[in-house]
Amino acid sequence: MSLTEISAHIAKAEAAAGRPEGAAQLIAVSKRQPDARVIEVLEQGHRLFGENQVQEAAGKWPIFRETYPDAKVHLLGPLQTNKARQAMGLFDAIHSLDRPKLAKTLARLAQEEGHCPELFIQVNTGEEAQKSGVLPSEIEAFVVECSALDLPVVGLMCIPPVDEEPSLHFALLAKLAARTGLSGLSMGMSGDYERAVALGATHVRVGSAIFGARDY
Ligand SMILES: *Cc1c(COP(=O)(O)O)cnc(C)c1O
């Protein structure tokens, strides 16, 4: 599907939900895509991208940014504390703040560097053992902890279990965000971004629907 078609679907979902146009931002997930495809999307004027790995992003975005200095890149994948400093220099936002140790590391680095990307707390809405993220029952305490560390937390993020109706997870995430006073909602991927917009997503993360299947 083209970027234009996806943007039109988002606008339609926003209107149907009575939300203003542009309420949900489209993050084009460029992980493991050939450079030529990413450049096509940059050439179409799109400027917000998502990556899963620090290493991969470090290999391409500093180069893309020489030509497109206003491109913004968000980290969507898990972040190891030993890569946190590098991530802070590369990304405009991090969607995977998922544990106290990472919060403490980011807070210390933010002090040292004098800046910090905007942060989304990843919530394990499906309470899956193999998935990272803060459990719904622990989210309020974690938000308080991050706020005591002066971290710029702007919202919550989730990746629903593959075999469940994502809308239930989007609704839960929206409820948790309302309860903790956070306005950002990073939810919805290629297969379910319209449902996420209907339930209040402020950021949808769409990869394969824009770029085609990934190069594994
Ligand atoms: C890869 C990825 C996406 C995009 O997935 P698609 O199904 O290709 O749209 C979104 N969010 C995260 C966290 C991802 O890792």
Side-chain angles (χ1 to χ4, degrees), residues 74-136:
H74 291 192
L75 177 66
L76 311 177
L79 178 58
Q80 295 168 262
T81 49
N82 64 2
K83 298 229 173 87
R85 190 188 296 274
Q86 192 184 6
M88 287 176 79
L90 263 174
F91 297 105
D92 300 287
I94 294 171
H95 291 234
S96 49
L97 172 53
D98 58 0
R99 60 198 191 279
K101 187 181 176 208
L102 180 59
K104 291 190 190 95
T105 301
L106 290 171
R108 175 172 54 78
L109 294 172
Q111 285 287 325
E112 289 176 23
E113 308 270 332
H115 89 104
C116 187
E118 291 194 329
L119 303 171
F120 290 79
I121 295 172
Q122 183 171 351
V123 184
N124 186 356
T125 56
E127 308 196 20
E128 296 171 281
Q130 80 286 3
K131 204 168 267 176
S132 52
V134 178
L135 293 173

Side-chain angles (χ1 to χ4, degrees), residues 29 31 52 76 157 159 189-190 205-208 214:
V29 183
K31 67 181 182 199
N52 239 37
L76 311 177
M157 176 271 217
I159 307 171
M189 316 199 330
S190 288
R205 314 178 306 262
V206 181
S208 42
R214 277 180 287 275

Side-chain angles (χ1 to χ4, degrees), residues 1-14 24-28 37 46 189-190 193-194 197 204-212:
M1 222 181 299
S2 72
L3 191 67
T4 322
E5 285 173 284
I6 289 167
S7 300
H9 288 167
I10 291 173
K12 202 171 157 196
E14 285 168 340
Q25 294 187 52
L26 173 59
I27 301 176
R37 288 288 292 121
H46 195 73
M189 316 199 330
S190 288
Y193 65 91
E194 289 153 297
V197 172
V204 292
R205 314 178 306 262
V206 181
S208 42
I210 297 174
F211 294 102

